[in-house]
């Protein structure tokens, strides 16, 4: 079996699904590159609500809807009971929504014949993280990933950056909806002020990086340009909610960011800044480092970073070119097994491996498993997203939880020949010692559990 | 940054384990209005002990002087630990007190040197041969007990057989409809699994360190964490099987899938894993008997394993993969209180490949005898469909009261 195909499927993909190694065998690099062009929307995501539909799950919107259906009785006690009932219904509906979204997302990855593309969706989604830890974001996270990220991976980084910054999920998450220019119409009337959060995180986490060469003054100036980027609250109930430029909140006048002057131009002002940030050499380096870290090693080799940064600069951030450059990194093909699979990658890999003979069976189980493993669905801990280093995911406690999950999955899967499965999935990458241990397992279930616990399965 | 708000979608760990266990799986319990237990029809329960049961330690040949010689202080009876007496020749492991009671009531039949036709030592392949009912590995994708169930004729519309404790094992796969059931809390990773995982990580220091931390934190000493209300897992399986078997129009066949018998190390300690597992197996059989009530008199249970273990003790105070092992037949329908099959002896010339107990009974002969005399499956069907090409293993007759 072609070792390059095995590496391609594990390191760049999501772990082998049936038949995948055969498909990748004749030209592993080609198999990866061709996934960059054909983008059918995954079947598993059909029927999920768009941003407008998801906005109807905002706490105040949905609770308002629910309260219309409740019989109003007078008195404080009755009112308290009503609120409790509304709260309970709201939580139930939100839970279902999140389960459906999580399951669709998981299935899309588990069933994908373009697993490299799925990896890239997740990489960029994590890079431009929005987190459901903020209640207004949780209902939107699924639609955000579909509309801002997934739909924008065949163009430029600048376009992706713009799409994410425009999306209500991002605007809510980083508080830009309440950022008001002090000299805007609303600012003058109500003494509301600037919120720097979005501007800072765009500079620190999305583009230049923390050492990319910006100052506090740049943050403030940039934040001013972003005022007015908000959400149309009036249209939400009708299902047409979404991004809207709110001129009344926008800080008028020119701003200087990173030494460049941007004349006052309403919404276009921040667009111009964002395009400049996308072209900045620090951005090229920052993105290159993150990509190399994600696909090659926790401490990415300088040569890989250099190569990717160069492609970024020379193509002005063309994402397909950049992604192809990742595939062409010799460093990525040299030493497999340097990266540790996150809980999500682990579960997707197991689902693909088991393909119908076991695995998770629905959103509720998925959420429970992700909770147990410490990577809660749509709930990344901060705007920096989920960490991309082994140290964050491998500890005594996290390994124990992973082994628990493995025991549970293996006990109810139907795999009689785990050694055969291992050989098909890993070929020569299966260590002789692992092979021996699998051979000596006392039952099919234990053998499968050992395979899922093996370093070969948990690293890529 | 605003402070994190707790999410409404967090489940506790216990809820997680429940979710993953899947509770009542594919089989719904029959409605309780059909409350009259159906005592009349014959019931057959197959218990598969996965891992390779050490037959010598379960059914010690007390009357064979070579036993004490070979097992030394680990020999039951003459060594450190006593044995329950059956007849002059054989004893029973002291943890099997319930089964000893059955022996006294002539409801336990023991067979000392049983094996399938398989002669290698791989768990998977041996289990495959044990379950597919034919002489070679991967010979069929269905199992002998499903083919036997099909030969019982059409049932009353529900599942005719049920697998308890796992997804449908090979022995029950096939054309006849079967159901599955698992207890609602799964055991935590057990000691045996963790030892093997440690082996996997010998060349991966990061994972090895994490595992060492995990084991220290969780200090797993108990192989089998108790399920709800102190009920051990195997017992829960037996109780469930009994419930299904007594229902009117319920299944007549059940399979209990019990793992954990691969005793490569420290198998002789009175407080060790093997002793505990045997105690739980014994308690499970008692629970089965009690759950079946009056149906016990029409029940036969066959307890088998895929292979036995080495006669000699290894360097870790355990035993390695062998060949022949003991099989047990118990039930109210069984003509017990006796030893069936020949004792091959333990002299060097008596052993298989100079290391294992030599088989003198083919496991298929036991199965055929029970299917023929107890479930009344016609011999022609047994030879043709259930156990094809098994002329070399004629059915062992007379195990049940006809």
């Amino acid at each position: 079996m072609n070792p390059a195909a095995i590496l391609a499927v594990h390191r760049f993909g999501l772990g082998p699904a049936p038949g995948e190694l055969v498909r990748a065998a004749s030209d592993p690099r080609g198999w990866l590159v061709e996934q960059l062009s054909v983008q059918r929307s995954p079947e598993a995501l059909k029927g999920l609500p768009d941003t407008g539909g998801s906005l109807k799950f905002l706490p105040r919107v949905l609770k308002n809807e629910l309260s219309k259906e409740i019989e109003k009785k007078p008195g404080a006690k009755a009112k308290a009971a009503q609120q409790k009932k509304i709260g309970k219904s709201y939580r139930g509906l939100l839970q279902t929504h999140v389960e459906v979204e999580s399951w669709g997302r998981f299935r899309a990855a588990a069933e994908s014949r373009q697993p490299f593309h799925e990896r890239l969706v997740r990489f960029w989604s994590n890079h431009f993280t929005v987190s459901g830890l903020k209640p207004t974001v949780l209902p939107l996270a699924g639609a955000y990933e579909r509309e801002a990220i997934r739909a924008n991976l065949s163009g430029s980084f600048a376009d992706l950056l713009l799409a994410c910054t425009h999306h209500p999920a991002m605007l809510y998450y980083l508080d830009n909806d309440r950022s008001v220019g002090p000299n805007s119409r609303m600012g003058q009337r109500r003494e509301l002020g600037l919120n720097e959060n979005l501007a800072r995180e765009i500079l620190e986490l999305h583009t230049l990086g923390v050492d990319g060469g910006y100052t506090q003054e740049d943050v403030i100036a940039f934040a001013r340009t972003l005022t007015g980027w908000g959400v149309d609250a009036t249209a939400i109930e009708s299902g047409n909610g979404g991004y809207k430029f709110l001129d009344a909140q926008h800080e008028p006048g020119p701003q200087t960011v990173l030494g460049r002057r941007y004349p006052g131009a309403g919404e276009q002002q921040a667009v111009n800044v964002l395009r400049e940030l996308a072209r900045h050499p620090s951005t090229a380096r920052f993105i290159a480092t993150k990509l190399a870290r994600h696909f090659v090693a926790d401490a990415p080799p300088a040569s890989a970073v250099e190569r990717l940064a160069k492609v970024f600069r020379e193509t002005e951030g063309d994402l397909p070119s950049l992604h192809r450059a990742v595939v062409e990194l010799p460093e990525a093909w040299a030493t497999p097994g340097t990266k540790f699979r996150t809980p999500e990658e682990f579960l997707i890999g197991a689902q693909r491996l088991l393909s119908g003979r076991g695995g998770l069976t629905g959103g509720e189980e998925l959420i429970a498993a992700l909770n147990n493993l410490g990577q809660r669905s749509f709930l990344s801990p901060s705007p920096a997203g989920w960490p991309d280093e082994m140290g964050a995911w491998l500890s005594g406690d996290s390994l124990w939880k992973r082994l628990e999950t493995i025991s549970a999955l293996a006990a109810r899967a139907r795999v009689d020949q785990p050694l055969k499965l291992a050989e098909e999935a890993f070929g020569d990458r299966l260590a002789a010692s692992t092979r021996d241990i699998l051979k000596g397992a006392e039952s099919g279930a234990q053998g499968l559990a050992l395979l899922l616990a093996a370093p070969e399965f948990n690293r890529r | 940054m605003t402070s994190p708000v707790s999410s409404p979608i967090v489940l506790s760990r216990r809820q997680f384990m429940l979710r993953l266990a899947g509770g009542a799986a594919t089989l719904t319990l029959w409605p309780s209005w059909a409350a009259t237990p159906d005592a009349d029809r014959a019931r057959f329960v197959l218990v598969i002990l996965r891992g390779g049961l050490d037959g010598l330690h379960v059914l010690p040949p007390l009357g064979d002087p070579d036993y004490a010689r070979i097992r030394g202080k680990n020999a039951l009876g003459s060594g450190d630990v006593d044995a329950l007496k059956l007849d002059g020749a054989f004893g029973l492991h002291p943890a099997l007190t319930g089964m000893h009671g059955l022996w006294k009531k002539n409801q336990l039949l023991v067979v000392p040197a049983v094996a399938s036709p398989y002669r290698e030592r791989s768990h998977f392949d041996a289990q495959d041969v044990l379950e597919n009912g034919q002489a070679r590995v991967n010979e069929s994708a269905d199992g002998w007990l499903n083919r036997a169930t099909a030969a019982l004729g059409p049932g009353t519309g529900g599942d005719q057989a049920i697998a308890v404790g796992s997804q449908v094992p090979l022995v029950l796969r096939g054309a006849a409809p079967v159901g599955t059931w698992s207890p609602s809390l799964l055991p935590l990773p057990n000691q045996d699994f963790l030892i093997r995982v440690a082996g996997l990580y010998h060349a991966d220091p990061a994972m090895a360190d994490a595992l060492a931390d995990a084991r220290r934190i969780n200090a797993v000493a108990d192989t089998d964490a108790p399920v709800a209300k102190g009920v051990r897992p195997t017992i829960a399986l037996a109780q469930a099987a009994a419930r299904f078997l007594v229902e009117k129009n319920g299944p007549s066949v059940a399979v209990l899938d019990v793992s954990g018998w691969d005793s490569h190390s420290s198998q002789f300690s009175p407080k060790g894993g093997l002793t505990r597992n045997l105690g739980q197996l014994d308690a499970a059989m008692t629970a089965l008997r009690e759950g079946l009530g009056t149906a016990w008199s029409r029940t036969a249970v066959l307890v088998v394993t895929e292979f036995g273990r080495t006669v000699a003790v290894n360097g870790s105070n355990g035993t390695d993969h062998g060949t022949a092992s003991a099989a047990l037949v118990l039930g109210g329908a069984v003509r017990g209180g006796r030893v069936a099959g020949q004792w091959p002896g333990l002299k060097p010339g008596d052993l298989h490949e100079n290391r294992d107990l030599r088989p003198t009974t083919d496991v298929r002969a036991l199965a055929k005898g029970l299917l023929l005399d107890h479930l009344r499956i016609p011999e022609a069907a047994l030879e043709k469909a259930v156990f094809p090409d098994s002329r070399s293993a004629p059915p062992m007759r007379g195990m049940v009261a006809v």
Side-chain angles (χ1 to χ4, degrees):
Chain A
M1 198 190 303
N2 185 351
I6 295 170
L7 185 141
V9 150
H10 287 276
R11 161 154 287 186
F12 291 98
L14 288 163
E20 192 168 72
L21 278 164
V22 170
R23 280 196 295 277
S26 55
D27 180 13
R29 284 171 180 74
W31 174 71
L32 292 170
V33 170
E34 81 190 6
Q35 293 176 42
L36 300 176
S37 48
V38 180
Q39 296 329 331
R40 278 176 295 271
S41 181
E43 189 269 329
L45 299 178
K46 286 192 173 49
L48 293 173
D50 61 7
T51 298
S54 300
L55 279 165
K56 292 168 81 172
F57 282 93
L58 285 181
R60 69 171 194 286
V61 176
L62 187 51
K63 285 184 184 176
N64 194 38
E65 279 298 310
L66 289 169
S67 80
K68 288 178 188 165
E69 292 164 21
I70 288 202
E71 198 197 321
K72 300 291 192 301
K73 294 199 185 95
K77 208 167 165 193
K79 204 163 177 208
Q82 284 159 23
Q83 296 298 14
K84 205 168 163 196
K85 194 166 173 199
I86 290 171
K88 194 163 172 220
S89 299
Y90 164 74
R91 280 191 300 277
L93 287 169
L94 180 64
Q95 171 108 10
T96 304
H97 172 69
V98 173
E99 279 172 16
V100 167
E101 285 276 3
S102 300
W103 185 242
R105 183 174 188 264
F106 180 74
R107 260 189 61 210
E111 295 169 3
S112 178
R113 303 224 335 179
Q114 281 116 20
F116 180 44
H117 181 247
E118 289 301 313
R119 286 283 300 285
L120 291 166
V121 169
R122 277 165 157 71
F123 170 82
W124 287 112
S125 183
N126 198 44
H127 178 76
F128 289 107
T129 279
V130 298
S131 173
L133 287 181
K134 198 149 202 164
T136 44
V137 174
L138 186 57
L140 309 179
Y144 168 78
E145 191 179 84
R146 288 189 292 280
E147 294 172 25
I149 309 280
R150 190 179 281 273
N152 289 299
L153 295 188
S154 14
S156 69
F157 174 79
D159 288 335
L160 177 61
L161 172 65
L162 281 164
C164 293
T165 311
H166 269 114
H167 197 279
M170 183 64 77
L171 297 170
Y172 280 143
Y173 183 45
L174 296 177
D175 305 308
N176 207 64
D177 58 314
R178 58 181 87 183
S179 180
V180 176
N183 299 304
S184 66
R185 292 199 301 281
M186 191 186 282
Q188 289 175 332
R189 253 199 328 266
R190 299 215 220 151
E191 285 179 29
L192 293 164
L194 210 56
N195 187 303
E196 297 173 9
N197 213 358
L198 179 62
R200 177 183 309 285
E201 308 299 14
I202 289 176
L203 287 166
E204 180 181 331
L205 300 173
H206 299 168
T207 56
L208 268 57
V210 71
D211 297 322
Y214 59 91
T215 64
Q216 175 60 19
E217 283 70 41
D218 291 321
V219 174
I220 293 172
F222 183 25
R224 291 194 193 111
T225 70
L226 282 167
T227 50
W229 286 46
V231 184
D232 183 357
T234 58
I236 289 176
E237 272 186 30
S238 64
N240 296 316
Y243 169 81
K244 187 173 184 190
F245 181 71
L246 307 168
D247 190 68
Q249 286 175 221
H250 183 66
E251 177 72 3
Q255 306 295 340
T256 300
V257 181
L258 291 168
R260 197 188 189 99
R261 191 174 176 277
Y262 296 89
E267 181 182 1
Q268 192 61 30
Q269 191 182 40
V271 172
N272 295 337
V273 179
L274 286 163
R275 287 207 179 278
E276 269 310 304
L277 294 177
R279 289 170 27 131
H280 198 286
S282 293
T283 300
R285 170 155 288 274
F286 184 56
I287 300 298
T289 306
K290 285 193 79 175
L291 274 168
R293 178 177 298 125
H294 186 70
F295 285 101
V296 184
D298 289 352
S303 50
V305 175
E306 284 302 333
R307 196 182 315 259
L308 292 179
K310 185 157 184 273
V311 170
F312 192 107
R313 284 192 307 270
E314 287 176 356
T315 66
E316 294 184 20
D318 179 58
L319 292 177
S321 301
L322 189 59
H323 298 154
R324 192 163 30 247
V326 169
V327 172
E328 287 163 7
L329 286 174
E331 296 88 342
W333 297 86
T335 40
T338 48
K339 292 289 298 181
F340 189 75
R341 274 184 162 163
T342 64
E344 204 176 69
E345 289 171 1
F346 168 79
L347 288 173
I348 295 170
Q351 198 80 0
R352 290 172 77 86
L353 186 75
L354 290 172
S355 255
R357 281 170 296 192
L360 302 170
T361 59
E364 211 178 316
E365 275 188 359
L366 170 65
I367 284 175
L370 286 168
N371 287 354
N372 200 45
L373 294 173
Q375 194 173 17
R376 299 193 295 166
S377 194
F378 299 127
L379 294 172
S380 67
S382 82
W386 296 108
D388 200 354
E389 281 118 350
M390 181 171 75
W393 296 112
L394 179 61
S395 68
D397 184 59
S398 63
L399 182 60
W400 182 258
K401 299 264 173 48
R402 197 173 283 207
L403 292 174
E404 278 184 341
T405 305
I406 286 170
S407 297
L409 285 173
R412 61 179 210 179
R414 219 174 93 171
V415 172
D416 297 324
Q417 305 277 1
L419 180 58
K420 182 157 170 278
L421 190 63
E423 282 166 350
E424 283 167 357
F426 294 100
D428 289 335
R429 250 199 76 198
L430 197 66
S433 53
T434 302
R435 181 174 279 119
D436 285 341
I437 289 174
L438 290 180
K439 222 166 160 181
E442 73 165 10
S443 65
Q446 192 189 66
L448 175 62
L450 290 167
L451 170 54
L452 293 173
E456 289 89 335
F457 188 80
N458 285 278
R459 291 176 173 285
R460 51 172 170 82
Chain B
M1 282 297 303
T2 55
S3 57
V5 177
S6 71
S7 159
I9 59 172
V10 173
L11 289 182
S12 69
R13 209 190 119 262
R14 188 176 180 282
Q15 286 168 311
F16 154 67
M17 297 301 255
L18 279 168
R19 296 281 180 276
L20 220 49
T26 61
L27 190 68
T28 53
L29 289 175
W30 281 272
S32 55
W33 51 255
T36 327
D38 183 357
D40 289 342
R41 64 181 197 277
R43 271 85 161 179
F44 176 67
V45 179
L46 177 68
V47 181
I48 302 183
L49 303 181
R50 297 193 191 274
L53 177 77
D54 184 21
L56 277 182
H57 202 54
V58 169
L59 194 68
L62 304 175
D64 188 330
D66 291 300
Y67 171 63
R69 172 179 63 78
I70 292 170
R71 289 277 169 108
K73 65 177 168 62
N74 292 316
L76 293 167
S78 58
D80 292 342
V81 178
D82 233 336
L84 299 164
K85 306 270 185 299
L86 294 181
D87 60 6
F90 289 92
L92 212 54
H93 189 285
L96 301 174
T97 50
M99 292 202 219
H100 193 225
L102 291 179
W103 170 271
K104 293 198 208 133
K105 290 198 276 196
N106 294 334
Q107 292 182 352
L108 172 68
L109 179 87
V110 299
V111 195
V114 180
S116 74
Y118 179 76
R119 286 292 170 275
E120 314 280 334
R121 296 187 183 87
S122 150
H123 288 295
F124 307 128
D125 290 347
Q127 288 170 21
D128 185 275
V129 172
L130 176 70
E131 297 182 69
N132 78 34
Q134 308 191 46
R136 280 179 297 278
V137 184
N138 293 332
E139 195 71 356
S140 64
D142 60 357
W144 59 263
L145 193 49
N146 187 289
R147 298 193 292 270
T149 305
L152 279 176
T156 48
D159 294 320
Q160 295 174 275
I162 180 156
V164 180
S166 65
Q167 293 301 296
V168 182
L170 176 61
V171 76
L172 262 191
R173 279 181 225 156
V178 301
T180 61
W181 184 92
S182 279
S184 60
L185 263 185
L186 292 163
L188 297 166
N190 65 39
Q191 194 68 279
D192 176 56
F193 174 59
L194 291 171
I195 290 170
R196 295 173 196 253
V197 172
L200 287 170
Y201 296 165
H202 78 280
D204 192 321
M207 294 187 81
D209 284 345
L211 180 66
D213 272 344
R215 293 176 76 184
R216 194 173 47 247
I217 293 165
N218 290 280
V220 177
D222 205 287
T223 328
D224 300 289
V227 184
K229 297 194 185 70
V231 176
R232 294 294 158 99
T234 321
I235 296 171
L237 299 187
Q239 288 171 336
R243 277 202 302 277
F244 287 114
L245 289 166
V246 297
E247 288 289 344
K248 197 176 175 73
N249 299 332
S252 299
V253 171
V255 176
L256 260 63
D257 209 305
V258 188
S259 289
W261 303 94
D262 192 21
S263 50
H264 282 284
S265 62
S266 302
Q267 81 168 61
F268 298 100
S269 161
K271 293 204 180 67
L274 180 57
T275 306
R276 267 203 306 272
N277 286 347
L278 285 170
Q280 283 177 31
L281 178 65
D282 192 68
M285 293 297 99
T286 302
L288 181 70
R289 174 169 58 78
E290 288 170 355
L292 285 167
T294 47
W296 174 250
S297 65
R298 293 286 286 133
T299 299
V301 182
L302 175 62
V303 183
V304 293
T305 190
E306 73 264 30
F307 47 55
R309 308 193 76 82
T310 50
V311 157
V313 178
N314 67 21
S316 317
N317 227 29
T319 48
D320 299 313
H321 299 177
T323 309
S325 188
L328 307 173
V329 184
L330 49 131
V334 172
R335 284 184 56 239
R338 56 199 182 88
V339 180
Q342 273 192 303
W343 176 241
L346 292 170
K347 297 202 178 350
D350 297 330
L351 300 179
H352 174 71
E353 290 181 9
N354 226 18
R355 51 177 273 171
D356 305 336
L357 193 66
R358 183 169 60 80
T360 56
T361 304
D362 190 317
V363 70
R364 294 175 295 173
L366 291 179
K368 280 157 79 171
L370 290 170
L371 294 176
L372 180 58
D373 289 336
H374 185 58
L375 287 183
R376 306 299 184 100
I377 292 174
E379 191 151 8
L382 282 179
E383 298 296 336
K384 188 154 178 261
V386 182
F387 286 107
D389 286 328
S390 62
R391 297 236 175 274
S392 58
M396 183 181 282
R397 309 302 299 269
M399 286 190 285
V400 290
V402 234

